[in-house]
Amino acid sequence: MYRLILSVIILVIGAALLAGGIWLASLGGSWFYIGLGIALVISAVLTYRCNPVGLALYGASLLVTLGWSLWEVGFDWWALSARGSLLIVLGALLLLPPMVRSLHRPSTGLARYDGYSGSLAGALVITALAGIYAMLQSPHDISGNFADNRMSASRAVETVVPDGEWRAYGRTAAGDRYSPLTQITPQNVGNLKVAWTYHTGDIRGPNDPGEATYEVTPLMIDNTVYVCTPHNLVIALDAVSGKEKWRFDPHLQQTVKQTTQHLTCRGVSYFDGSASSPWPSSATQPASANVVSGSPKTVLTEEQRLAASVAEVTTQAAGVPQNVVTGQAKRGAPNPEVDRKDSTITASIDPSCVKRLLAPTSDGRLISLSAETGKICPGFGGDDGTINLWANMPNITPGSVYSTSPPVVADHLVIVGGAVNDNVSTTSPSGVIRAFDIYTGALVWNFDSKKPDATSPISNGQTYSENAPNSWSVSSYDAKLGLIYLPMGNQSPDQYGVNRSAEVEKFSSSILALDVNTGKVAWVFQGVHHDLWDMDVPAQPSLVDLTIGGKQVPALVAPTKQGEVYVLNRKTGVPVLPVTEEPAPSGAVKGDTTAATQPVSTISFKPVPLTEKDMWGATPLDQLACRIAFRSLTYDGRYTPPTTKGSIIYPGNFGTFNWGGVAVDPDRQVMFAMPVYLAFTSKLVPRPDAYARVISKDGQDVFNENFGAPYAAKMGAFLSPLGLPCQSPPWGYIAGVDLTNGQIVYKHVNGTVRDLSPVPVPFKMGVPGIGGPIITKGGVAFLSGTLDYYIRGYDLKTGAEIWRDRLPAGGQATPSTYKGADGRQYLVVVAGGHGSTGTEAGDAIIAYALPNAL
């Protein structure tokens, strides 16, 4: 029976490899699987017929597979395992006594291990030794370190933020995610212990959208930690004890579940009125100031009613972040009318509001709170301390536009972008960027990327341009230059670019510098031309002064989804490190075009183009399936356009970098980053008409409906039949870069599959992540964004992991660090998980510190 069962298993596997191999060869792929399949089928028949030659043939097949595998991928353990692991297991089973005994014929005497079984044993030993050697190699790493003089460098970097505080999303308005604190070092980081843990009580619910995520970076000002939660609660904690001081609940209004994509708060913003211009005893704005206040309302056109009917769009691509049309937890009902006031407003001055927080909400409000008490600051947009961000918006449906990122505070202004539901309709709300008076909430200017010169406050009765490119991520601000730097998104749909205006083409997927006082364009630099891949600029640009060629240059560092890190002169937008235009693939659908070239930076984490040999799986069977898929899809390298056949997009819109960005050390002039590599697929699905749903048609789920466009788009991660990435690992790294010359000094595989595999094995495969790193003057970088549940510390000099601690849930957020009133340096991280990555949900805020202050 043992022989029968094992022979049948090998026969079935061999037949599957033979059939799949013929299919692959017909597509122009490798012929190897045909030969392997034939050999396994013959081996299975021989062993079933009690012929020990079957063992020898199996052993020969194993050695040939090893030789072919080494020829394709070298001593890369994970790539080899996909080709040989199943064969090794079956070979070992063939050598067990039940099989050898079953090959005994009565006329030949007692069965013993002989030359046939010995040849198989020898093949297994050789294969195992090759595997052990491969496990000791690091073929994907770049080993290096920053020189000692670079690590000890110290420059006078001006900042209004005290060294021990973290006052903005990126610590300062420069967005560098760098702390001057030195208490935690590579020598003592191993002594970090949990100092306190706080649970917000805000847990992802069954009616929340898939993109319900904890992405907040905690602030720390005046010994108080400030966080927001996915449902936009704002909470203040004692920085040393973690005890709650106050909490504010905005009572989110009801949104339509199927038209809300995100339930996210990356942070709140802080304004210190005592540190800027003198706080007025009263602040009066004339009637023309256009103060907007009150609660949002819902006005549905027929097109929006149709767009809102996407109630059944439920697709989601295997636990990776995407622009899914999903829902939000039920809250209070929306106001039936937009309340837009145009009158004289006198700000009611509350002494506790001299220092205030600005909190965006997912139902389209911006709320001003006392940093001291958590109470509404009256006079900001009205007595309710609220600006209605839906005012003057076209085509509003509940949940269609909101702000997931903290606004930028620039002296007397608060500047707000917004997230617009991607790829729902060609009549989406506007991606307008607006500046409001920090005291009264009066609209000071608005930048509509379809009308870039019309920055004066919009008049009552007018609306912003529908479907204008937006800025959903975090912006940066240079007070000396008076410029704000915005990462820009795209017009919907992302995957079809016909009929885009010249203004849309100019500002999409760009870094945009605006005059902070007027909203006028200072310069614009585009990272992707005619974007068909959702490669919007996702991350806050980091501002740093660099010494290049002996001269100090005011620079801006902008990481992108496609893997380029552009270093630009932040005065002019001209590249500081060279950017070249390289040829890009053609082949867009009929009527559309592709850009002939795309910009490539000196600092480039662009992936090596995929080939068939890069396909992966847990076994040769699903690896073969991925090879067939690779040959069946369109792929001509990075920037392969979406097609009706289906295309591989690598990197996918998850990005090489996403909203977490990078950390920049202004003293050492280096960058620490977490590049990620994950291929997606993109297929354009012809629509029967502009507004008919294309969903679950013949079992085919569609990811982007794109109402009003000729195509819907089916997108998702490029996965094997077992749900594993079709591309070989690693999928995630950490890296260190010298910003003065663009050299990647080190790059190391990062993260384990402990929380991704059915069995919690801590294999270091290099896993994807979302979230950002921070750097400290003490020489340690910290990161919690990987999809295994750890906060990690790295030696900034070498990139070596030198500390980690287990988190109770996914840590897909950027940590922060500060100095408490007790003199200790704290590291604080949010462990709440990420809905679209499938990581464990939670509500923990965790602070670490050394046992004693140094």
Side-chain angles (χ1 to χ4, degrees), residues 193-197 240-241 824 826 846-849:
K193 302 295 182 185
V194 173
W196 54 261
T197 300
V240 172
S241 68
R824 293 195 292 172
Y826 288 79
I846 304 171
Y848 296 87

Side-chain angles (χ1 to χ4, degrees), residues 271-280 354 409-413 438-439:
F271 171 69
D272 186 351
S274 65
S276 61
S277 55
W279 185 273
V354 172
V409 172
D411 190 24
H412 63 292
L413 298 177
I438 197 75
Y439 301 121

Side-chain angles (χ1 to χ4, degrees), residues 146-409:
F146 294 113
D148 289 339
N149 61 346
R150 180 63 67 88
M151 291 302 298
S152 61
S154 183
R155 303 190 303 161
V157 178
E158 293 185 31
T159 175
V160 297
V161 177
D163 286 357
E165 295 191 344
W166 196 283
R167 289 197 172 191
Y169 177 80
R171 201 184 88 84
T172 71
D176 53 20
R177 282 161 284 280
Y178 168 79
S179 170
L181 296 179
T182 60
Q183 191 176 113
I184 300 173
T185 68
Q187 290 72 39
N188 64 25
V189 67
N191 296 325
L192 283 177
K193 302 295 182 185
V194 173
W196 54 261
T197 300
Y198 173 84
H199 293 279
T200 68
D202 188 355
I203 301 293
R204 185 189 311 156
N207 295 319
D208 286 341
E211 192 78 7
T213 63
Y214 263 87
E215 297 179 354
V216 62
T217 295
L219 307 187
M220 202 293 283
I221 305 107
D222 295 336
N223 204 45
T224 303
V225 171
Y226 298 101
V227 297
C228 59
T229 71
H231 292 96
N232 300 126
L233 304 177
V234 182
I235 303 171
L237 307 173
D238 183 274
V240 172
S241 68
K243 292 182 178 179
E244 182 178 312
K245 291 185 174 182
W246 55 257
R247 69 166 50 201
F248 171 81
D249 187 344
H251 300 290
L252 292 183
Q253 295 176 346
Q254 180 182 1
T255 60
V256 177
K257 178 180 179 180
Q258 289 75 24
T259 58
T260 303
Q261 289 180 351
H262 304 275
L263 199 59
T264 298
C265 183
R266 296 188 182 92
V268 296
S269 298
Y270 173 75
F271 171 69
D272 186 351
S274 65
S276 61
S277 55
W279 185 273
S281 57
S282 66
T284 303
Q285 292 291 334
S288 61
N290 271 352
V291 176
V292 292
S293 63
S295 300
K297 70 139 175 122
T298 302
V299 179
L300 297 178
T301 66
E302 183 60 28
E303 288 181 336
Q304 275 66 62
R305 289 189 182 94
L306 287 166
S309 70
V310 297
E312 297 163 48
V313 177
T314 58
T315 58
Q316 189 170 354
V320 288
Q322 23 180 306
N323 299 322
V324 183
V325 182
T326 48
Q328 175 181 330
K330 184 175 180 181
R331 295 291 181 264
N335 191 315
E337 295 184 357
V338 167
D339 179 11
R340 190 174 194 287
K341 298 181 180 179
D342 198 12
S343 59
T344 301
I345 298 293
T346 301
S348 176
I349 306 304
D350 181 342
S352 70
C353 284
V354 172
K355 297 180 179 181
R356 57 176 64 189
L357 304 175
L358 288 306
T361 68
S362 61
D363 57 4
R365 291 177 284 163
L366 181 65
I367 303 174
S368 181
L369 303 173
S370 164
E372 179 184 340
T373 66
K375 297 185 182 300
I376 290 282
C377 289
F380 181 75
D383 289 339
D384 62 355
T386 300
I387 292 174
N388 172 20
L389 297 177
W390 287 4
N392 299 91
M393 274 288 178
N395 308 333
I396 283 292
T397 56
S400 60
V401 59
Y402 36 80
S403 185
T404 57
S405 297
V408 170
V409 172

